[in-house]
């Protein structure tokens, strides 16, 4: 009998211990120490000073010029004139100091490529980098510019998709669950390989009823758990007062509190260009403004190459003959234009792309906090809308509606009005959401796809699709920015199998950091390693790099931050290419627009190191001015055209053409119709800055400063 009381105490003690252990484990999981991408010291230290105070700049590896890349493409196809073309180009490059080319180099270049990738968006450049780092000989061509289509018109998020997770739970849809799980894993890789171009962003989910709090709390915690070790910050609940303190623009009525979860944000087109340039460093031949005019087949009907045409000479009033590129395998990664390439292969093939339009608007930065986004999961028609800080402004979107495929889609007034109307429902009534506050508006075409081999060909593929035609055209379509790397891995895996390619270790990997302190080829054993291949600019980046830039070059603080967050360690080169101001401070860097931190050195860098060939290449994809403010872009256009004319030796006709094509493009960025006829003289004289009646009335512009009545 004396032994029974301890037994009665033993069970409660076991329950208490178990509960304490579970609670402690949960707390540790939520608050465990974690390393936030971008917060680590740089992989390599910033450049220092040698004896006598001499500055020692990084010695970054040189990317081949666009002309050299085109010569390599031409050399892949046998031609009776090939040797003379090669000899001429070899002599030219020698005179320009690009190094000697030997006969053995010529023989090697004459071999066909392992892969020819058509399309220079996120998917195409991702595939090029993956294949090049597996030791394959790769070419990638793009009709317009890198990221000229959908890849530059995203919501700028790197996310798993909380809405997909909700659908997965309620519909018991394993495919949706797998998509979220994959995207959360890829999100971490994304932020690790390009910390200067991406960041963690807290996103607030307002709650209007108390009983919704447990539902959304469970959803965001499940999102955290799914991310597992790839998660960085745990979601948390905010009371009403804390929510208003974090996001003062929210309306107070019907606000119970808010949940905050974490996702990633990025600079999409800069990421796209960096992928292309990194692939080029690893040996891929990448060329923009090169149009595929047809596909070539051998006697057995198998694809063996493509005919292409350089579009740049035509802009200068010259003609450029078509030429052939030979390759063992051809990959179609053209996004919304997937079916046009598939029809080059087989004219009567069934279309698989179901294009959907996503409209975004850009508002001034005062519409949102600088470091907090917002999601509205229950809009008036059931769609989800994001409200995010980006590059000092605020992005709101997106819509989702069937559309026609066009090169430069225009955001419709109905879609813009719908977004503004939804914004008004969750911002404070005292904030007047005005159409005149829209600085830019654009439409991106999302290429949803159907599986041509599925029983139900009308149903859309939830993830991406990799499909091989009978003649050997490998198509990768669908997916989203966050999973570009996985899409590339799946596509290259399929290409190796279908085209019987032989990956190999990369023994001559470039010194991407420019310091010889990092062996970037150490892990490149012929397998896919893109989850740890750092992109150009990443090695020397840290969150304090901008200070070193200010102290050496004397650039303004916001400019220095922008340069390091857009170019990483290549900001040293950009700043060095910036003109002196002849002022006490800033010492270097003439702004393209007084409203934004973009400077003249970026234009020179874009031309010399990133294959920029048009003013819009610079204003929309190398810098982001066109996406941030269409009117400011129009006003900066003369400076950009003049800078590019100096670099590329444009004549007056080419400069006039650039003006006309750039203004036409700005129509797709939301430039008012009244400005589409503006001439360069109008802009330089200030007439283009005159206001329409609606905009004129937006602010107090006349009379003496007024003082409120005091009693």
């Amino acid at each position: 009998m004396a032994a029974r009381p301890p037994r009665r105490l033993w069970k409660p003690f076991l329950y208490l211990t178990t509960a304490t252990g579970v609670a402690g484990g949960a707390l540790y999981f939520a608050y465990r120490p974690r390393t936030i991408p971008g917060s680590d010291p740089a992989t390599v230290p910033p450049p220092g000073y040698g004896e006598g105070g001499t500055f020692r700049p990084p010695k970054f590896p040189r990317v081949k010029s666009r002309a050299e890349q085109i010569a390599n493409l031409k050399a892949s196809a046998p031609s009776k004139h090939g040797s003379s073309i090669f000899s001429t180009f070899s002599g030219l490059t020698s005179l320009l100091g690009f190094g000697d080319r030997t006969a053995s180099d010529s023989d090697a270049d004459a071999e066909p490529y392992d892969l020819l990738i058509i399309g220079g968006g996120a998917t195409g450049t991702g595939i090029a980098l993956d294949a090049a780092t597996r030791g394959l000989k790769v070419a990638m061509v793009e009709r317009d510019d890198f990221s000229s289509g959908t890849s530059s018109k995203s919501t700028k998020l790197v996310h798993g998709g909380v809405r997909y997770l909700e659908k997965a739970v309620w519909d018991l849809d394993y495919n949706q669950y797998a998509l979220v799980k994959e995207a959360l894993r890829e999100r971490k890789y994304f932020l690790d390989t390009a910390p200067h171009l991406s960041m963690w962003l807290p996103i607030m989910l307002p709650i209007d009823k108390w009983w919704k709090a447990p539902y959304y709390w469970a959803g965001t915690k499940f999102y955290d758990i799914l991310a597992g070790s790839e998660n960085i910050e745990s979601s948390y609940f905010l009371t009403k007062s804390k929510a208003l303190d974090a996001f003062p623009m929210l309306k107070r009525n019907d606000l119970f509190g808010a949940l905050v979860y974490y996702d990633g944000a990025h600079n999409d087109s800069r990421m796209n260009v960096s992928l292309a340039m990194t692939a080029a460093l690893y040996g891929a031949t990448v060329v923009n403004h090169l149009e595929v005019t047809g596909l070539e087949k051998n006697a057995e009907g198998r694809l063996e190459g493509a005919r292409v045409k350089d579009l740049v000479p035509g802009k200068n009033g010259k003609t450029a003959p078509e030429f052939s590129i030979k390759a063992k395998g051809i990959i179609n990664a053209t996004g919304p234009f997937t079916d046009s390439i598939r029809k080059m292969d087989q004219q009567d093939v069934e279309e698989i792309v179901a294009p959907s339009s996503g409209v975004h608007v850009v508002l001034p930065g005062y519409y949102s906090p600088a470091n907090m986004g917002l999601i509205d999961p229950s809009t008036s028609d059931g769609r989800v809308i994001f409200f995010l800080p980006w590059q000092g402004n605020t992005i709101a979107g997106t819509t989702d509606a069937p559309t026609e495929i066009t090169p430069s889609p225009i955001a419709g007034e109905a879609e813009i009005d719908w977004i503004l109307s939804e914004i008004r429902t969750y911002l404070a009534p005292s904030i007047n959401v005005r159409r005149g506050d829209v600085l830019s508006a654009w439409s991106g075409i999302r290429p949803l796809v159907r599986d041509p081999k599925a029983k139900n060909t009308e149903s859309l593929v939830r993830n991406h699709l990799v499909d091989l035609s009978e003649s050997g055209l490998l198509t990768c379509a669908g997916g989203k920015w966050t999973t570009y790397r996985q899409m590339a891995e799946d596509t290259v895996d399929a290409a190796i199998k279908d085209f019987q390619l032989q990956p190999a270790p990369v023994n001559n990997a470039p010194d991407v950091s420019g310091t010889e302190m990092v062996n970037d080829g150490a892990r490149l054993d012929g397998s896919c390693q893109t989850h740890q291949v750092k992109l150009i600019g990443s090695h020397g980046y840290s969150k304090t790099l901008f200070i070193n830039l200010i102290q050496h070059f004397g650039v303004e603080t916001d400019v220095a931050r922008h340069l390091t967050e857009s170019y990483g360690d290549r900001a040293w080169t950009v700043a060095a290419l910036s003109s002196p101001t002849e002022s006490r401070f800033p010492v270097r860097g003439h702004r393209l627009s007084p409203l934004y931190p973009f400077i003249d050195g970026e234009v020179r860098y874009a031309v010399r190191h990133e294959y920029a060939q048009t003013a819009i290449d610079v204003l929309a994809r190398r810098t982001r001015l066109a996406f941030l403010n269409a009117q400011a872009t129009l006003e900066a256009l003369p400076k950009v055209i003049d800078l590019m004319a100096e670099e590329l030796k444009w004549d007056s006709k080419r400069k006039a053409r650039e003006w006309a094509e750039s203004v036409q493009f700005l129509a797709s960025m939301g430039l008012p119709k009244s400005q589409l006829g503006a001439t360069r003289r109008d802009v330089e004289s200030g007439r283009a800055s005159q206001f329409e009646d609606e905009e004129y009335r937006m602010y107090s512009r006349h009379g003496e400063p007024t003082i409120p009545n005091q009693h």
Side-chain angles (χ1 to χ4, degrees):
M1 296 297 291
R4 288 183 181 178
R7 288 184 181 179
R8 287 199 300 268
L9 294 173
W10 182 78
K11 286 186 178 181
F13 177 76
L14 178 62
Y15 296 151
L16 178 62
T17 303
T18 303
T20 303
V22 171
L27 285 172
Y28 176 79
F29 178 82
Y31 297 104
R32 67 192 185 279
R34 311 176 208 191
T35 301
I36 299 175
S39 63
D40 287 336
T43 306
V44 298
Y49 294 84
E51 295 181 3
T54 304
F55 179 66
R56 296 178 297 188
K59 297 180 180 179
F60 297 123
R62 174 184 168 273
V63 178
K64 289 182 179 179
S65 69
R66 185 174 180 275
E68 288 176 280
Q69 299 281 42
I70 291 176
N72 288 344
L73 292 176
K74 291 179 178 178
S76 70
S79 170
K80 62 182 180 180
H81 302 296
S83 59
S84 62
I85 292 174
F86 178 83
S87 299
T88 301
F89 182 78
S90 179
L92 176 61
T93 55
S94 179
L95 287 172
L96 293 176
F98 292 155
D100 295 332
R101 305 271 293 177
T102 66
S104 60
D105 292 332
S106 176
D107 292 339
D109 288 344
E111 292 296 319
Y113 287 95
D114 290 320
L115 292 174
L116 169 61
I117 303 156
I118 306 172
T123 307
T125 53
I127 294 171
L129 179 59
D130 189 306
T133 52
R134 297 201 209 188
L136 298 175
K137 185 178 180 182
V138 188
M140 187 207 72
V141 298
E142 162 61 43
R143 176 178 61 184
D144 197 332
D145 185 28
F146 311 125
S147 197
S148 59
T150 305
S151 296
S152 63
K153 299 175 180 177
S154 70
T155 311
K156 323 303 180 194
L157 282 177
V158 187
H159 64 133
V162 288
R163 54 180 176 171
Y164 300 133
L165 180 59
E166 184 179 30
K167 291 179 182 178
V169 172
W170 286 111
D171 299 341
L172 298 178
D173 189 334
Y174 178 78
N175 290 329
Q176 290 274 16
Y177 167 83
L179 174 61
V180 175
K181 184 73 174 173
E182 175 187 87
L184 288 172
R185 181 190 69 244
E186 292 300 316
R187 180 185 68 177
K188 182 62 162 44
Y189 294 154
F190 200 116
L191 274 68
D192 283 340
T193 56
H196 58 301
L197 295 171
S198 50
M199 58 178 285
W200 286 96
L201 179 68
I203 300 177
M204 181 180 290
L205 198 163
I207 300 172
D208 58 350
K209 304 293 183 183
W210 69 265
W211 52 266
K212 291 183 180 180
Y215 174 76
Y216 286 128
W217 181 88
T220 55
K221 286 302 176 186
F222 190 22
Y223 196 63
D224 293 342
I225 292 170
L226 270 186
S229 60
E230 277 80 34
N231 199 31
I232 295 297
E233 296 285 349
S234 294
S235 56
Y236 56 90
F237 176 78
L238 290 176
T239 62
K240 178 178 180 178
S241 60
K242 291 290 186 181
L244 289 170
D245 182 58
F247 208 116
M249 303 81 178
L250 283 178
K251 67 177 181 181
R252 294 174 175 270
N253 297 338
D254 299 324
L255 180 66
F256 172 75
L259 275 158
V260 176
Y261 71 96
Y262 284 78
D263 256 327
H266 75 130
N267 189 335
D268 50 9
S269 72
R270 289 259 6 125
M271 180 75 177
N272 201 154
V273 172
S274 296
L275 283 168
M277 294 300 100
T278 307
L281 276 181
Y282 279 97
T285 303
V286 300
V287 182
N288 55 351
H289 298 285
L290 195 73
E291 182 179 18
V292 172
T293 58
L295 301 179
E296 295 181 337
K297 299 180 180 180
N298 60 20
E300 289 77 33
R302 298 285 298 178
L303 289 172
E304 64 174 8
R307 296 187 306 280
V308 297
K309 182 179 181 180
D310 187 2
L311 300 181
V312 172
K315 296 178 182 293
N316 293 319
K318 302 176 182 177
T319 58
E322 294 184 3
F323 63 92
S324 294
I325 305 172
K326 295 299 181 183
K328 300 172 186 176
I330 298 180
I331 296 177
N332 175 15
T334 52
F337 303 96
T338 293
D339 287 326
S340 63
I341 301 298
R342 294 175 72 241
K343 289 182 178 180
M344 286 185 183
D345 176 40
Q346 181 182 343
Q347 288 187 350
D348 59 349
V349 71
E350 182 180 355
E351 294 186 355
I352 62 172
V353 174
S356 175
S357 170
V359 172
H360 296 81
V361 301
V362 173
L363 298 164
Y366 55 71
Y367 271 91
S368 68
N371 295 303
M372 177 74 75
L374 184 143
I375 179 174
D376 181 2
S378 54
T379 60
S380 58
D381 60 1
R383 289 180 286 186
V384 172
I385 192 169
F386 286 97
F387 197 62
L388 309 167
W390 185 71
Q391 300 283 307
N393 284 356
T394 302
I395 289 180
T398 176
T399 62
D400 185 7
T403 187
E404 297 294 324
I405 298 175
T406 56
S408 297
I410 295 177
E413 280 299 320
E415 289 89 349
I416 294 173
D417 289 342
W418 178 82
I419 293 173
L420 296 180
S421 176
E422 293 300 324
I423 291 172
R424 294 185 185 103
T425 64
Y426 55 77
L427 292 189
S430 59
I431 299 176
N432 184 15
V433 182
R434 307 175 293 185
R435 176 62 177 87
D437 283 337
V438 175
L439 303 175
S440 179
W442 72 84
S443 172
I445 301 177
R446 184 185 179 194
L448 305 175
V449 292
R450 308 179 186 91
D451 187 346
K453 296 176 182 176
K455 292 182 179 179
N456 180 10
T457 58
E458 292 302 313
S459 62
L460 298 176
V461 176
R462 299 187 189 278
N463 202 339
H464 59 275
L465 168 74
V466 179
D467 177 67
L468 183 69
S469 74
E470 293 182 1
S471 60
L473 178 65
L474 189 63
T475 295
C476 179
K480 60 180 182 178
W481 239 120
T482 306
T483 58
Y484 86 90
R485 195 209 64 84
Q486 185 64 55
M487 295 167 64
E489 181 178 348
D490 292 347
T491 304
V492 177
D493 285 346
I496 290 171
K497 176 183 176 182
D498 295 330
F499 303 134
Q500 299 180 355
L501 305 178
Q502 298 296 323
V506 179
N507 297 319
N508 57 342
D511 178 23
V512 181
S513 72
T515 64
E516 298 183 351
M517 297 176 64
V518 179
N519 182 4
D520 289 293
R523 299 185 180 93
L524 303 182
D525 57 1
S527 63
C528 178
Q529 296 294 325
T530 47
H531 62 288
Q532 51 187 347
V533 173
K534 286 188 174 293
L535 299 190
I536 187 171
S538 299
H539 293 78
Y541 171 75
S542 72
K543 289 192 174 182
T544 59
L545 180 62
F546 76 96
I547 299 173
N548 304 106
L549 214 63
I550 296 170
Q551 292 178 337
H552 183 72
F553 288 108
V555 293
E556 294 174 274
T557 301
D558 62 334
V559 171
R561 285 185 180 275
H562 154 67
L563 293 181
T564 56
E565 291 170 2
S566 297
Y567 302 91
D569 56 27
R570 266 48 176 187
W572 291 104
T573 305
V574 178
L577 290 172
S578 302
S579 300
T581 62
E582 308 302 334
S583 301
R584 182 176 180 277
F585 197 85
V587 178
R588 282 182 180 267
H590 292 275
R591 293 183 183 243
L592 303 181
S593 166
L595 302 175
Y596 297 94
F598 307 116
I599 58 174
D600 58 330
E602 295 181 73
V603 181
R604 298 186 183 97
Y605 183 86
V607 173
R608 298 183 192 183
H609 301 281
E610 294 182 338
Y611 300 168
Q613 297 295 308
T614 70
I616 290 305
D617 289 354
V618 171
L619 287 166
R621 270 91 60 175
R622 305 310 187 281
T623 72
R624 306 313 309 274
L625 187 56
F627 282 82
L628 292 169
N629 192 318
Q631 179 65 36
T633 306
L634 179 68
E635 294 166 6
L637 192 53
K639 294 179 185 177
V640 173
I641 290 177
D642 287 347
L643 286 167
M644 295 189 74
E646 293 176 7
E647 294 289 321
L648 296 170
K649 311 305 178 187
W650 289 345
D651 58 19
S652 58
K653 290 183 179 179
R654 175 64 191 272
K655 291 170 72 173
R657 178 170 184 154
E658 282 297 313
W659 181 270
E661 292 182 353
S662 298
V663 174
Q664 183 181 7
F665 171 83
L666 289 177
S668 68
M669 289 288 107
L671 187 70
K673 291 181 180 180
S674 61
Q675 299 281 32
L676 296 180
T679 65
R680 176 167 178 155
R681 183 173 296 179
D682 291 336
V683 171
E684 292 178 329
S685 66
R687 288 196 296 271
S689 300
Q690 294 176 353
F691 315 103
E692 297 179 353
D693 290 343
E694 179 184 357
E695 187 178 0
Y696 194 76
R697 291 193 298 267
M698 284 176 59
Y699 305 99
S700 174
R701 302 181 186 274
H702 340 277
E704 296 296 325
T706 56
I707 301 175
N709 292 330
Q710 299 180 5
H711 299 284

